[in-house]
Each structure stands twice: as C-alpha cells, then as structure tokens.
Amino acid sequence: MRVLLVTPFGFQNVGIRLLSAVLVREGIDCSILFLKRWINNRVFPPTETEWSLFENHVKELAPDVVGIGFGTPYLKLVTEMTERIRRVSKAHVTWGGTHPTMVPEDCVGRADSVILGEGEAPLVDLVNALKSGADITGIKNIWTRAGDREFRNELRPLIADLDTLPHERMLEAPRAFIAENRMYQGDPLHNYPVYRALASRYCPFHCAFCYNSQYRDIYDSKGRYFRNRSVGNVMIELERVRREMPRTRRIHFDDDTFVFPVPWIEEFAEEYPRRIGLPFDIMLYPGALGEKAIRLLAKAGLTQVQIGIQSASEEELARDHARRDANDAIRKLAALFKELKVEPVYDIILDNPDATRADKDATLKFMVDLPRPYNLFLYSLTFFPKSEVTRNLLERHVITEEQIETRATKTFRQFRLTLDYPRPAEEKYYASMISLASKNFLPRPLIRWLARRESLRRRPEALRWFAEGANMIKLAKLAARAYWRGEFGVGNVPLLTRRYARMIQ
C-alpha cells in the first residue's frame, strides 16, 4: 500500500507530519505533498499550472490512499482537489482535520471516507483494511458511504499517552512542495529558521471562538481531553531537529496554551538548555502559569510569549468569548516580562459585530496603559461553523448564515487584521488606534490626544494612514532584528519569515 498525505497552504503543519510518522512506523509507504504556502491574507487557489503539477504528481506516485487534512475555509478547494485526483487515480480519498471533524455531514458525500477527531489509529486501520480488502464501514472515527447507506461510526477514546506516538520520526517521509508554479522535491521546512513543536494536545480552557469548545463537546466522556508529552519525549524530537535541520534558529511551541505542572516545567527548564539550547517562544492563556514557572522558562531560553487578551471588556469577554476578565493578571505578567526581558505579543479580536462602543473603549484604554514594548496580533472575528460564538450570534440574529466561514472564506483575506481592509469607520478607527498603542516610539500622550478626537471616529482615513506608516517603521525594526538573529528564511520560503512579516502591529 502506498499513501499520499496532502495539506493545502500549510507546509509547517505538525499534524500531517505526525500522521506520516505513524504510518512509517507501521511499515506503510507514505509521502507528503504540500500544496502552496500560506501568506497572511493572500490566499489564492492553485493556478492551472499548479493543478497540472499536482495531477502529474499523483499520477506518477500512483497512491492507493490519498489523505487530505484541512480546515473550514478550504472546503471548496479540497472538493476540487478530490475531483482532480479521481481524474488520474483510483485511490481511496479520505478527508480529515478540523472541518471534517466539525461538519462531517459536509464531507461524507464528497470523499470516499471521512476521519473524525484524532486520526492516527483510524488512518492505520483504514489503510490496513483497504490493503486486505476488509470492510471499512465499521471502523471507529470513520464516516463513509456504501451504496445508498451511510455509516457513521462512534469515536474511539482519546489517546491517553502521547509518548506512544512517534514524534521523533516526523522528518522521515518523502516530501514534495508545489508553489509559485513549480514543484520542489524535499521538505520546505528543512531550511526554515523556526521549527514548530507540540508538547501537548488540545487545551484545558473553553473559549467560545476556538475549535476546542467544539472538540470538547464531541469528545465528551472519551478520556482526558488535555494531555501532554513527557519532557524526555519532547527532547528526543528536538534533538533530531538540531541534528537534521541545522538552519533552525528558534523553537516555536505551537501548543494552544503552554500550561504544565510545576514538576514538568522544572524538568523542562533543566533539560532544554542542556540538550537543545535554542531560543524558544510559547503561547499562553492569562494566569495559566505562575511567576515561578515563567522565571524558570525565561532562564531556559524563553524569549517571547503570545497571550490572548481578545478584549479588555469584562462584559464582551463574558457575553461573546466565554472568558473571564484577566486584566489584572495581564498587567502583572507585563511587569514580569519587562523585568525578564521576555517579549510579550498580545492577541486582540476586533470586528465583533456584538461589541459596544464601551467594549471597544475599554480595550483601547487598556492597551494604551499596558507597559511597553509589546507587539500585537490583531485578529478579525471569524464565524466558524458550529463554534460557540457563531451559534450564539446566529441565535440572536447578530449575524447571518452567509457570514459563516464555509461560505464567506473571510480568513483568506482577513485572518490577521490589516488596516486597509474595507470595514465601517468606527471599526477602522479602533483598529488603527489599538495598532498605534503598541508603538513605543510614539508617546502615550499623543495617542490619548488622538483618542479624544471625535472627528477621527467619523473620518478615520488619515488616522489609518498614520497607523500604516507606524507599522512600516516597526516592521523595518523587526526585519533588522530577524536578520541579526539569523531568522530570515532561505531556500524555497520567503526571504522575510512569516513569523516577522505578520508581526506588524
């Protein structure tokens, strides 16, 4: 059996690499194809040349099974991809990932099978069943059709011990990459300066805008939801990265939130600098780690923390995001980061049609008062199907079905918020002002003065251009720092790494 795994717009995808490692461990011939690179707010479908390269690759490889992993915005693209596979191959096409798990009814009629949830064991079972000619209609986690009948099987329990998964073998499967009308052989991540790692799976928190709120409902009573790997297991993976990817300059822990027991943090803080020794960054839920843990991590090499504020309005957090007020915790963290010289990056969600002027003013004031320097990731609120925030706003008639991401594909143009995107004047005003708040070369009295100008709320275009200019100054500084640290991309990735190109607020 030969398996081809495909992922659109995601050459840093950790999940598909782990799936390949599981198949390789089971003795199954597996390769990976990355189709196009993801560039913030510039996601365009493959050209006919790229589709031709894709079809030729599938035809030459002659896989028995093609697995495609994807999220909601790519449903239309993956549907076309499946049709093109069927033009040149008789392979069994199976879909998995966030969208097939959330909305399998969208998928079961388009793919030969759909894998829900954790896909490692179901994919192995599917491949082995197809190899032996066995029936696939009873495999847990899989939905499929046979004739006029649909078979919707229950989920198996969650993987209790993540150390049983072969993370250290994620670099073994052959890879190819299609982008810019060319086919590249080899792994596009090989020469990339930042390596993404996962030390855990899923998240212990329940934010309304996040896929975890849906996964929790799906996996109710199927085992412990949030799990972590052992420190030793993580180190084995990263040691191999250091040996086989010598251009790696930084480790980005892509865990939804980097929250572990103190003994785990203590062991990590001892082992990581001794065995890996690269700077690393994490994502963190406010208040999830105490001061002791953060000090240990900073000593071990932590240089940046991404924290989700989302909104500084207690009312908006409770009403729309299912989060508690964490402003006091964030202020304390900001002071600690400044002392430890750890760079904070704060996530803010804007374009919320349910947010009041008071909600937005609270966030703006909080960001102006927050200790600098810091960076911002500004997000435009996106309505993914079946998410808690989507269900809530639909029920209250704040949004319509047309705004749900299966139809809107807003993430292709505005996943990370940019100031030039067409939006109402008030939204443009707040986006520009919050962006300016992060610029430590602009005095706070100036920003507060601008915030009192009612005319800018009504006609914010000049303010927007001022904020764009400030962004360019900051981007130039970040680019210089990336160059100094050796974190520019090389090979077949953009010169300026996406890590810095997107950090312009």
Side-chain angles (χ1 to χ4, degrees), residues 196-299:
R196 290 188 177 190
L198 288 170
S200 63
R201 182 169 286 188
Y202 301 147
C203 180
F205 302 104
H206 197 138
C207 303
F209 52 83
C210 179
Y211 77 96
N212 278 288
S213 64
Q214 301 156 269
Y215 269 48
R216 278 183 175 279
D217 294 338
I218 291 170
Y219 270 115
D220 185 41
S221 303
K222 291 294 184 180
R224 187 161 58 94
Y225 182 70
F226 175 69
R227 293 141 291 154
N228 60 269
R229 300 162 60 189
S230 69
V231 172
N233 187 259
V234 175
M235 293 303 117
I236 291 171
E237 175 191 349
L238 298 183
E239 284 175 331
R240 183 165 188 177
V241 169
R242 292 234 61 184
R243 289 194 306 269
E244 300 186 13
M245 300 174 64
R247 292 184 182 272
T248 302
R249 296 291 181 267
R250 173 180 297 271
I251 304 298
H252 170 66
F253 285 97
D254 213 18
D255 306 80
D256 291 321
T257 187
F258 199 85
V259 51
F260 300 96
V262 172
W264 193 100
I265 296 289
E266 291 174 338
E267 183 183 355
F268 177 89
E270 180 179 345
E271 294 295 313
Y272 183 89
R274 182 173 64 86
R275 298 170 64 173
I276 311 302
L278 292 173
F280 68 94
D281 53 82
I282 64 174
M283 296 190 288
L284 189 63
Y285 187 95
L289 286 181
E291 179 178 336
K292 177 183 177 181
I294 291 173
R295 288 186 180 277
L296 286 171
L297 293 173
K299 189 176 180 180

Side-chain angles (χ1 to χ4, degrees), residues 320-471:
D320 296 324
H321 300 317
R323 291 185 64 150
R324 54 181 171 77
D325 177 18
N327 291 352
D328 288 342
I330 292 165
R331 290 188 190 98
K332 291 177 182 177
L333 284 172
L336 182 61
F337 293 149
K338 194 164 187 176
E339 175 195 340
L340 299 174
K341 294 182 171 55
V342 172
E343 180 182 89
V345 181
Y346 300 115
D347 292 348
I348 301 292
I349 296 178
L350 299 176
D351 292 338
N352 178 4
D354 203 35
T356 66
R357 178 166 173 172
D359 294 329
K360 299 168 195 174
D361 281 338
T363 300
L364 174 56
K365 182 180 185 305
F366 184 80
M367 300 313 298
V368 172
D369 294 340
L370 204 57
R372 297 188 293 188
Y374 64 80
N375 290 310
L376 285 177
F377 283 167
L378 299 182
Y379 293 88
S380 182
L381 182 60
T382 304
F383 308 110
F384 290 102
K386 298 186 179 179
S387 73
E388 189 175 331
V389 67
T390 299
R391 294 197 306 266
N392 176 27
L393 296 182
L394 276 174
E395 288 170 5
R396 292 165 47 212
H397 306 290
V398 177
I399 62 172
T400 67
E401 295 282 349
E402 294 301 316
Q403 292 173 267
I404 297 177
E405 192 62 7
T406 42
R407 303 180 187 181
T409 59
K410 178 183 175 183
T411 49
F412 289 173
R413 306 176 305 280
Q414 202 61 190
F415 177 64
R416 290 248 164 75
L417 183 146
T418 56
L419 302 179
D420 59 347
Y421 188 74
R423 52 175 47 86
E426 182 172 287
E427 296 299 327
K428 187 177 295 186
Y429 164 80
Y430 281 105
S432 300
M433 287 300 305
I434 291 171
S435 175
L436 288 170
S438 70
K439 307 304 188 290
N440 61 345
F441 52 83
L442 296 177
R444 282 198 177 96
L446 170 62
I447 298 173
R448 293 188 179 108
W449 182 82
L450 291 171
R452 293 193 296 269
R453 306 275 73 78
E454 284 294 326
S455 60
L456 292 177
R457 292 177 182 269
R458 298 189 299 271
R459 296 182 296 277
E461 197 59 28
L463 180 68
R464 195 267 289 187
W465 280 108
F466 180 47
E468 293 274 24
N471 280 347

Side-chain angles (χ1 to χ4, degrees), residues 41 91 146 154 165 171 187 200 211 216 232 313 393 427 471 481:
N41 298 336
E154 66 172 329
L165 297 174
L171 304 177
D187 191 338
S200 63
Y211 77 96
R216 278 183 175 279
S313 164
L393 296 182
E427 296 299 327
N471 280 347
R481 187 173 63 177

